[in-house]
DNA sequence: AAGTTCCGCGCC
DNA sequence: AGGGCGCGGAACTT
């Protein structure tokens, strides 16, 4: 395999530098390429199946995609740097121990060189990419777990390629269907002001509260209004209003629901985000501390169920929608090697498997207990079930408990592949110190305990959520490879769920590829694991038909 | 007028 | 009441 480095030249220049290295890092050759010729050059070199090494996929790849060029593999220095800088598996490396560099900066804008030579600016800039790659290769070579790190960095980089490709191709979106949904729920699109059904509900609420001028969109007004009408509430949130059974309750809850739909995914959103029948969210790989993706703009990861009917396959095409069933519990079973929990996961519905194992009485209990273990519930129905979960799945519970204890002490924790949690900030450390200092007050001690428990819940969840994100990245990378020679393509990703837009004739084959990819992801991460990673797969015309 | 913070709620 | 997010709107700050 060869590594092809794309070196940033002077931003004002009309060319970039391509440097070809062997696997061992030996330089084969260097050439300057005019920016205008770059897509053609990349297309040519793809025949050798190189790994492209560049600073930032979100910056380099979109222009190539726009020119119709696809890249098979890359190494995203910025994303990989962020992982290596913190990873417990790269602890002694220069990247982890050195002072902050521009590679630690935020996404927009390429990293600037640390120190520019007085004599040869151009050379200094190009060298930084080479040096950074060298540092990253060193960190991996010196690692206790080079295999895991290598897999993590490859998965992260491939994720960045996929994110750019999904943005490029877009989610097929029917504005007609979207408008039908909105009109059905809210009334026809008004030229100005509130849609009819929303206005009618507002009137109903104001009448029930006997306050004709109440502004329902103002939290303060609404809270005052509710109290004036005899509602004993602390806030205007749904869960609190739901508890009170008065005439205004029902229309108010309905109003809040519809007002939310209108502001978050109404006609304005549609005009802003849907173009030429496609929704193109801006994914941010690695945007969440745990390794999950984030998005910026459009709220793609919060598409409400109520408008998913607007996601529609093109004529003659299908959507293959798949989600991993109870992914986090399954990941926990695999990480901890908990045979009993793996056995429960042999059931397509893991929660039912927990019931069948006699640990709890019903599925609802199984779910709440499991999520409580992963999120760190300390009170309520979930906490009550914890002893039974501990008895049934001792190794799984021990793993999350250990992660929680580590966080409470201020230690870091790591995912299966080595993505590592941030250390708690200075204020956290100060609180801990204040509580253990001579003459610490009861308040200090209480505050420190509370901070400790809060951080413990974060680290507890980090190891599971982060490892689930790793599984999902591997799943998607494997699927991308299987789709390489098909017309079908990935269009959407949502933590534990993927969507492929596929010609109808290929859809069954794609569904099979999705299943094979899940198997492969399990083996990539956990080797010969006893855990099944069950999927729900649906071949549908519109997103709301899935599940 | 523009930027920031908080609330409430959508998703996993 | 138990983890991770993004976003719109209101309220507040500058």
């Amino acid at each position: 395999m060869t590594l092809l480095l794309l070196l940033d030249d002077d931003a004002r220049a009309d060319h970039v530098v391509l440097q070809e290295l062997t696997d061992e890092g030996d330089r084969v050759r260097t050439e300057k390429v005019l920016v205008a010729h770059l897509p053609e050059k990349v297309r040519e070199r793809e025949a050798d199946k190189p790994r492209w090494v560049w600073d930032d996929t979100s910056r380099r790849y979109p222009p190539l995609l726009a020119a119709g060029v696809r890249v098979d593999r890359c190494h995203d220095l910025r994303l990989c740097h962020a992982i290596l800088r913190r990873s417990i598996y790269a602890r002694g490396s220069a990247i982890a121990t050195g002072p902050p560099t521009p590679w630690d900066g935020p996404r927009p804008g390429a990293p600037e060189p640390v120190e520019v030579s007085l004599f040869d600016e151009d050379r200094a800039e190009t060298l930084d990419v080479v040096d950074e790659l060298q540092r990253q290769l060193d960190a991996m070579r010196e690692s206790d777990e080079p295999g895991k790190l290598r897999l993590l960095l490859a998965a992260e980089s491939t994720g960045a390629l996929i994110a750019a490709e999904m943005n490029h191709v877009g989610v097929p979106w029917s504005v007609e269907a979207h408008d039908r949904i909105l009109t059905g729920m809210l009334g026809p699109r008004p030229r100005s002001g509130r849609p009819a059904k929303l206005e009618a509900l507002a009137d109903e609420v104001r009448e029930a509260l006997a306050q004709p001028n109440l502004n329902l969109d103002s939290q303060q007004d609404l809270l005052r209004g509710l109290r004036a009408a005899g509602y004993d509430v602390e806030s205007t949130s749904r869960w609190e209003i739901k508890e009170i059974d008065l005439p205004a309750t029902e229309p108010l809850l309905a109003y809040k629901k519809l007002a939310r739909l209108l502001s978050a995914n109404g006609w304005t959103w549609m005009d802003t985000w849907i173009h030429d029948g496609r929704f193109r969210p801006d994914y941010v790989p690695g945007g969440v501390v745990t390794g999950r993706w984030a998005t910026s703009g459009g709220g793609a990861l919060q598409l409400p169920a109520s408008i998913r009917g607007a996601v529609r396959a093109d004529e003659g095409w299908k959507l293959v929608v798949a989600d991993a069933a109870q992914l986090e519990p399954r990941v926990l079973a695999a990480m901890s090697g908990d045979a009993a929990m793996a056995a429960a996961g042999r059931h397509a519905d893991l929660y039912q498997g927990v019931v069948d194992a006699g640990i709890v009485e019903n599925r609802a209990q199984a779910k709440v207990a499991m999520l409580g273990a992963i999120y760190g519930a300390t009170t309520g129905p979930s906490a009550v079930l914890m002893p039974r979960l501990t008895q049934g799945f001792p190794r799984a519970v021990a793993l999350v408990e250990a992660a929680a204890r580590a966080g409470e002490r201020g230690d870091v924790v790591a995912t299966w592949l080595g993505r590592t949690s941030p250390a708690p900030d200075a204020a956290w450390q100060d609180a801990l110190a204040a509580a253990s200092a001579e003459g610490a007050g009861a308040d200090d001690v209480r505050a420190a305990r509370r901070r400790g428990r809060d951080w413990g819940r974060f680290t507890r969840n980090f190891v599971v959520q982060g490892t689930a994100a790793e599984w999902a990245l591997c799943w998607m990378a494997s699927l991308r490879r299987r789709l390489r020679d098909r017309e079908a393509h990935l269009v959407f990703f949502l933590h534990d769920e993927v969507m492929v837009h596929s010609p109808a004739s290929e859809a069954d084959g794609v569904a099979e590829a999705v299943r094979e990819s899940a198997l492969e992801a399990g083996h990539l991460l956990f080797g010969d694991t006893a855990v099944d990673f069950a999927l729900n797969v649906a071949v549908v015309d519109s997103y709301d038909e899935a599940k």
Side-chain angles (χ1 to χ4, degrees):
Chain A
M1 178 189 61
T2 55
L3 300 173
L4 275 172
L5 301 169
L6 188 57
L7 307 179
D8 200 15
D9 224 23
D10 187 326
R12 291 152 297 181
D14 56 357
H15 62 270
V16 293
V17 175
L18 276 190
Q19 194 167 105
E20 184 172 344
L21 305 182
T22 66
D23 254 350
E24 289 71 39
D26 298 327
R27 198 145 101 184
V28 179
R29 63 174 157 154
T30 302
E31 58 183 320
K32 284 191 170 184
V33 182
L34 285 173
V35 168
H37 294 165
L38 187 58
E40 202 39 55
K41 191 74 188 175
V42 171
R43 195 199 308 273
E44 277 171 28
R45 300 309 305 267
E46 268 298 290
D48 308 330
K49 300 280 174 220
R51 187 180 298 278
W52 295 90
V53 180
W54 52 38
D55 51 0
D56 182 354
T57 306
S58 71
R59 175 183 169 205
R60 303 294 176 182
Y61 198 22
L64 298 176
L65 287 169
V69 179
R70 245 184 72 109
V71 160
D72 203 50
R73 291 189 297 179
C74 82
H75 180 94
D76 185 306
L77 289 167
R78 182 181 53 86
L79 290 171
C80 294
H81 178 95
I83 291 171
L84 292 172
R85 175 101 176 142
R86 276 218 284 257
S87 178
I88 55 165
Y89 294 145
R91 257 187 175 145
S93 69
I95 288 187
T97 57
T101 68
W103 292 98
D104 295 299
R107 170 163 74 140
E112 295 296 320
V114 186
E115 275 302 322
V116 174
S117 152
L118 288 172
F119 302 104
D120 191 350
E121 271 190 47
D122 194 51
R123 188 163 168 276
E125 293 206 16
T126 56
L127 272 180
D128 187 48
V129 168
V130 178
D131 289 349
E132 176 62 20
L133 174 64
Q134 198 54 57
R135 285 191 293 269
Q136 296 196 4
L137 293 174
D138 289 347
M140 277 191 275
R141 197 176 34 249
E142 298 159 8
S143 169
D144 311 330
E145 291 279 2
K148 283 184 169 186
L149 268 190
R150 224 179 296 281
L151 177 58
L152 176 55
L153 300 190
E156 185 85 339
S157 296
T158 302
L161 293 177
I162 293 169
E165 288 163 2
M166 290 199 305
N167 172 269
H168 177 70
V169 67
V171 179
W173 193 282
S174 163
V175 291
E176 292 77 18
H178 189 178
D179 181 65
R180 268 199 305 279
I181 292 165
L182 293 177
T183 300
M185 296 180 75
L186 298 162
R189 179 177 194 170
R191 233 165 297 161
S192 69
R194 265 194 285 238
K197 295 198 181 184
L198 204 55
E199 194 57 46
L201 282 168
D203 286 341
E204 214 179 311
V205 174
R206 284 188 286 246
E207 194 168 323
L209 294 175
Q211 296 177 58
N213 294 317
L214 188 65
N215 175 11
L216 296 186
D217 297 324
S218 159
Q219 288 153 17
Q220 293 189 342
D221 279 19
L222 182 56
L223 186 59
R224 269 195 296 271
L226 287 168
R227 285 180 168 164
Y231 286 71
D232 182 25
V233 288
E234 288 298 314
S235 75
T236 62
S237 59
R238 209 188 85 86
W239 61 269
E240 206 172 340
I241 290 169
K242 200 170 55 183
E243 298 308 314
I244 299 164
D245 191 23
L246 282 173
T249 301
E250 196 198 310
L252 178 54
L253 291 176
Y255 176 87
K256 287 169 82 75
K257 186 125 205 132
L258 293 181
R260 165 79 190 185
L261 174 68
L262 176 67
S263 76
N265 296 101
W267 290 281
T268 307
W269 179 90
M270 188 173 91
D271 292 343
T272 307
W273 287 100
I274 310 302
H275 301 288
D276 305 319
R278 292 291 185 269
F279 174 38
R280 302 171 193 280
D282 188 9
Y283 296 97
V284 185
V288 179
V289 273
T290 57
R292 275 187 175 181
W293 289 12
T295 53
S296 76
L301 302 185
Q302 298 109 249
L303 272 189
S306 56
I307 61 156
R308 293 187 176 186
V311 180
R312 299 193 61 88
D314 290 352
E315 196 62 42
W317 288 59
K318 291 282 184 183
L319 302 175
V320 180
V321 182
D323 75 286
Q326 304 95 34
L327 178 57
E328 293 190 353
R330 288 172 199 275
V331 159
L332 175 56
M335 293 174 81
S336 61
D338 192 309
M341 196 162 161
R346 207 72 24 84
H347 202 296
D349 176 6
L350 179 140
Y351 297 137
Q352 191 56 49
V354 174
V355 177
D356 294 350
I359 290 164
V360 293
E361 276 79 54
N362 57 57
R363 189 180 184 281
Q365 282 185 336
K367 184 172 179 175
V368 79
M370 200 61 82
L371 293 179
I374 292 170
Y375 292 153
T378 51
T379 61
S382 173
V384 172
L385 294 165
M386 279 300 289
R388 292 155 78 175
L389 210 62
T390 307
Q391 197 173 15
F393 306 133
R395 298 185 66 168
V397 173
L399 188 147
V400 289
E401 287 295 327
R405 296 295 93 79
E408 288 166 10
R409 290 193 304 269
D411 290 346
V412 298
V413 296
T415 61
W416 184 251
L417 294 183
R419 194 187 301 261
T420 301
S421 66
D425 64 14
W428 193 98
Q429 312 274 9
D430 291 348
L432 201 68
S436 53
E438 199 79 17
D443 283 354
D444 291 334
V445 173
R446 216 170 307 128
R449 282 222 186 101
R450 175 167 182 81
R451 270 176 186 270
R453 280 196 307 270
D454 288 349
W455 197 253
R457 280 194 301 276
F458 165 64
T459 52
R460 170 197 293 269
N461 185 248
F462 183 95
V463 296
V464 181
Q465 186 185 119
T467 304
E470 286 163 357
W471 183 91
L473 278 178
C474 289
W475 181 34
M476 214 166 24
S478 169
L479 177 58
R480 175 180 185 255
R481 195 165 41 73
R482 290 166 200 276
L483 297 180
R484 195 163 41 194
D485 300 319
R486 293 181 181 269
E487 257 194 276
H489 42 256
L490 273 159
V491 293
F492 192 55
F493 172 55
L494 184 55
H495 306 313
D496 61 358
E497 179 174 342
V498 297
M499 181 188 293
V500 178
H501 195 208
S502 168
S505 60
E506 288 186 27
D508 289 340
V510 169
E512 188 51 31
V514 169
R515 290 198 179 86
E516 290 166 359
S517 302
L519 264 178
E520 186 178 347
H523 289 138
L524 267 175
L525 259 73
F526 303 112
D528 193 18
T529 177
V531 174
D532 287 339
F533 289 93
L535 300 181
N536 301 305
V537 186
V539 177
V540 294
D541 292 309
S542 92
Y543 193 11
D544 60 341
E545 296 163 19
K547 277 191 198 170

